[in-house]
Amino acid sequence: MYKWIVIGGGIQGSCVASRLLEEKKVERKDLLIIDLHKQPLERWMTITEKIEMEYLRSPLVHHLDTDPYSLKKYASIHNYALGFKGQYQRPRLDMFNQHSLDLLEETGVMECWLQGEVDKLSWAEQGWTVRIADGRCFTSERVVLAIGVNHTPYYPSWMEKYKESPSIQHVFEMDNELPETGDVIVIGGGMTAAHLAYALTQKESIHSVTMVKRHPLRIHHFDSDPGWLGPKFLNTYHKLTSYKERREVIQKARNRGSITRDLYFKLLKQERLGKLDIHTGCIQEIRKDMDGEMQLFMENEEMIAGSSILLATGPAIALPGKAWLDPLIDKMQLPCAPCGFPVVTKTLEWKKGLFVAGALAELEIGPVSRNIAGARKAAERILQHA
């Protein structure tokens, strides 16, 4: 039997696991990390590389290590040129990734890794049992649910008919390769879509790039106000006893579909140079013509055509791990808010020995729960109980 099993090896799960090891809360032989991929942060690195992100949106103190200034020291030791950018010292993506992998190697996370897809979680008197798709089961005293939301991409209803078409891809689909030629349409108005559209305009083999979004480009430094990192906003938030109200506050606080100012100016420059067309409005319908070209029909009766469509519409709005968590919730009567997400203690414990991180912890952590700062907060909370 293990002492801890962490389900999910992305930013959230890797942060929790490395902290458990680093602070000697568990020995390597007593920790198991189960993830769908071969190595930690694989989904994160694949998607960010695909859209050619150069710098993170978060500041230099947001990373997986305990010391807030660890990444700054790392940049100096390894002589990274232009390691940070802008007023908030946003780190280079490649540096952040290597810093993370070095930390995970050093703390021993790699030695605790198991590639597998969890399909069942159950409780018995001896502890928690985690089953993976090949039938193997593992028991543990404690389990951390650190399941990412990006495993299930959001597909708008208007494109259901062509969902399986090779001309339409979602950037969150791991196996998809971006088109190298033709007229490409990018759907979305947030950071992922903006990075993707800009990257495509840099490829000489791409004939044209069109970005289609529902709303004007929104500019925010971060995906939520920095006040959500501390007592400025959280004191009031934690006084809310209604989880419906907490959900409303989270939705309002998140700067969804927003981009940084520097990325905004990059898009405008490409538009001025004639390398990018930017359209704002709602898509009503999609069709494929006789030549296989995809046609988008907008609410203003405008038609936009392209040889391929790339969706950067984010994750589906659903409980992560819903397929195998729902039976557990029903059987054990786990407390959930009206939105279906867990109601947990301050140490993020959902049931005895069952903890949550990331999106599953957001009703306690608040609007930053899904990002790197949220991962750090979740690790700190969980370790209080370890």
Side-chain angles (χ1 to χ4, degrees), residues 9-19 41 44-45 48 53-71 84 88-101 103-104 146 148-150 191 221-224 228-229 254 348 357-359 361-362 365-381:
I11 294 288
Q12 302 284 337
S14 293
C15 186
V16 172
S18 65
R19 292 285 183 90
L41 312 184
W44 158 265
M45 291 192 291
T48 51
M53 182 189 291
E54 291 185 86
Y55 287 85
L56 273 70
R57 190 177 195 174
S58 53
L60 83 164
V61 293
H62 294 174
H63 49 75
L64 307 190
D65 204 354
T66 308
D67 177 6
Y69 296 102
S70 172
L71 188 54
F84 302 95
Y88 296 99
Q89 295 288 284
R90 297 184 290 118
R92 261 173 60 175
L93 175 68
D94 61 338
M95 179 180 70
F96 171 86
N97 286 345
Q98 194 57 55
H99 173 261
S100 300
L101 293 177
L103 172 70
L104 300 179
V149 295
N150 294 343
M191 289 291 288
H221 285 301
F222 305 114
D223 48 18
S224 61
W228 286 106
L229 294 170
R254 284 199 183 116
L348 307 185
E362 61 191 3
I365 295 290
V368 305
S369 188
R370 299 186 183 200
N371 60 29
I372 301 166
R376 294 175 63 88
K377 284 179 171 290
E380 290 165 8
R381 298 276 195 104

Side-chain angles (χ1 to χ4, degrees), residues 136-205:
R136 284 182 290 168
C137 293
F138 306 90
T139 57
S140 178
E141 294 176 14
R142 302 180 182 93
V143 170
V144 180
L145 303 175
I147 317 160
V149 295
N150 294 343
H151 291 76
T152 310
Y154 170 69
Y155 286 92
S157 58
W158 49 261
M159 57 81 56
E160 280 297 323
K161 183 178 178 182
Y162 294 105
K163 186 175 179 180
E164 303 303 322
S165 170
S167 300
I168 299 176
Q169 301 178 35
H170 198 295
V171 72
F172 284 178
E173 298 286 2
M174 290 284 283
D175 297 331
N176 289 344
E177 293 186 6
L178 300 184
E180 294 292 332
T181 59
D183 300 293
V184 185
I185 301 172
V186 176
I187 310 294
M191 289 291 288
T192 302
H195 276 297
L196 180 58
Y198 180 77
L200 290 168
T201 64
Q202 304 297 299
K203 299 181 184 296
E204 293 184 3
S205 57

